[in-house]
Structures are given as C-alpha cells and as structure tokens.
Amino acid sequence: MARKKLCDCHSCGKKIYLEDAIKLDDEEYPIYWCSDACRVVTSDKEIVIEKLNFIFKEIMAVKTLNKSVKGYIRNRINEDFNDKTEILLAILEKKKEKIADLVKNKTFSNTTIKAKYVFACVKKDVDNTYETLKEDISVEDLPLPLIKRATKYVRDISKWL
C-alpha cells in the first residue's frame, strides 16, 4: 500500500509523511511538525503568522505565495500590526469571502500589490478594534504598582550600634 503525501515540518523544514506528522489542532490550517520538539519550539506568534499566510493565499486565489509576497506580509505585520496580529487574523477570517470577491473583480499588476490592497481593506477595522480593546481596560482594573521609595544604603554600621 502506498503511503500518503509528503509535507514539510513547519519548524525545521524536514519532509515527512502526513500519517507520521503532528498536525495543528485547527482543522482549517494544515500546519505540520515532525516531532513534539519542533512543535514546542514554534511560538504562538509564528503560528498566527502562518495562519495569516494561508488566509492570504485563499483571498488572493493563489496556490503558493512567492518569496517577495511572503516577505512583504512579514514586514508589514512586524511594522504596522506587531501588537495586533491576532486581531488582524480574526478580522481577515471574518471578512475573507468579501475581500476575496473584491480582489477577484479587480486587476492587479502583481501579487504584492494584491497583498497591499488586502492590508488596506482591513487596516481601519484592525485599528478601531485595537483602540476599543485598549479603552475597555480601564485604569481601575490594573493592579496598583508598588510605591517606589528612594532607599539610603548605610555603609557605616556604627550609627546602628
């Protein structure tokens, strides 16, 4: 009996069979690892960025993202959406079909400009959501910091004797 298809480990890039791979719990995103050690090494932010790459592939209707588009997405996330990656993921998941229809009806010179258009579609929503989440956390909910006092170190012990 023939074995199933090969896939790449997300962490180390090693080729493994699908039946031997450890898959992400989320059924929608096919992220695989070759071992538990590779899975543990992968941070939550890396997983969110990989999910964003899958969503961008679906929206732009391409099979794979080329190197320049992946670099553009990574740089844009690091610069503009560093603290907002999970909000960006949630909004893109919610508006995926609508944005895909908009992208399908327009013509673009290359896929990097498609990715730029997708970011422009959700930028305002992400910023508004981020601001409302920041406002929800009031000053009263935050724990009081310890009062910092200047401490004077006594070097001469004779004062205490």
Side-chain angles (χ1 to χ4, degrees), residues 58-102:
E58 290 177 23
I59 290 173
M60 295 189 297
V62 294
K63 192 172 183 178
T64 59
L65 296 175
N66 60 19
K67 194 174 184 179
S68 64
V69 175
K70 273 190 175 182
Y72 175 77
I73 292 170
R74 183 188 63 243
N75 291 341
R76 188 72 191 269
I77 289 170
N78 289 337
E79 291 171 7
D80 297 337
F81 301 98
N82 195 16
D83 299 335
K84 310 169 192 173
T85 53
E86 292 175 4
I87 298 170
L88 176 66
L89 178 65
I91 290 175
L92 279 175
E93 283 177 341
K94 188 174 16 172
K95 296 187 174 188
K96 180 173 30 178
E97 291 84 21
K98 184 177 179 182
I99 296 172
D101 289 338
L102 290 172

Side-chain angles (χ1 to χ4, degrees), residues 1 5 21 33 35 38-39 42 49 54 56 74-75 79-80 84 90 96 105 116-117 139 156 159:
M1 181 180 226
K5 294 181 181 180
W33 293 280
S35 65
C38 284
R39 185 178 53 81
T42 307
I49 290 173
F54 283 117
F56 271 92
R74 183 188 63 243
N75 291 341
E79 291 171 7
D80 297 337
K84 310 169 192 173
K96 180 173 30 178
N105 294 333
K116 190 181 257 188
Y117 181 77
V139 177
D156 186 18
K159 292 180 180 178

Side-chain angles (χ1 to χ4, degrees), residues 115-129:
K116 190 181 257 188
Y117 181 77
V118 171
F119 277 118
C121 288
V122 296
K123 174 98 171 107
K124 186 176 180 182
D125 293 334
V126 171
D127 289 339
N128 290 342
T129 306

Side-chain angles (χ1 to χ4, degrees), residues 128-144:
N128 290 342
T129 306
Y130 183 71
E131 290 301 319
T132 56
L133 287 176
K134 269 179 51 175
E135 289 172 1
D136 287 345
I137 301 173
S138 64
V139 177
E140 298 159 359
D141 296 339
L142 297 175
L144 294 174

